[in-house]
Structure formats: C-alpha cells, structure tokens
Amino acid sequence: RLDEAIARYRLAAEAFQRADEDQLRYTVMQAVAGIQLRRWKILQALVELQDGLSTVKNPTFKQKIMRTLLRFRTW
C-alpha cells in the first residue's frame, strides 16, 4: 500500500503549499522520499527531496546543506 501512502502524502503536500506552510510541506516530502528509498527508487527520492526544498522560503542550516548537495547530483 505504499503507492496509496505516496498519493495521500502528495495530497497533504499540496494542501500545505496552498496554506503557505513550506516547512510542513518539506516534512511531508521527506516522508515521500523515505518511502521511495524503501522501494530502492533512489533517484525518485532525490527528486522528491528537491521538490520539497524548492518551496522553503527560510531554510534551516540542515536544509541549506541538503539543497547544496542536491545541486551536485548527476542525472
């Protein structure tokens, strides 16, 4: 039922985006990335993390590091 969980997490992420809750949206996208990692979909997990970080207006130090690391990925 991981596909169902991902779909529901994405709905929650959209709701948080509409509510302008960027940190909560990032937390939800981290959960989606975690599910993708459990399924061995590493590239998709990185995309989910990058998507979550793209809307964060005031990133924490950890989020800034993650953004920097995601910029250096190879496609």
Side-chain angles (χ1 to χ4, degrees), residues 26-42:
Y26 173 66
T27 302
V28 169
M29 296 309 289
Q30 276 184 306
V32 173
I35 292 171
Q36 297 292 13
L37 284 175
R38 278 187 255 154
R39 299 168 86 185
W40 291 96
K41 294 186 176 185
I42 297 168

Side-chain angles (χ1 to χ4, degrees), residues 36-54:
Q36 297 292 13
L37 284 175
R38 278 187 255 154
R39 299 168 86 185
W40 291 96
K41 294 186 176 185
I42 297 168
L43 186 60
Q44 188 62 34
L46 292 173
V47 169
E48 303 289 355
L49 277 177
Q50 187 174 25
D51 181 37
L53 281 171
S54 68

Side-chain angles (χ1 to χ4, degrees), residues 1-18:
R1 299 185 55 176
L2 294 177
D3 289 330
E4 181 181 342
I6 289 172
R8 290 179 188 259
Y9 273 130
R10 286 191 177 138
L11 286 174
E14 289 173 19
F16 286 136
Q17 187 171 11
R18 285 191 304 273

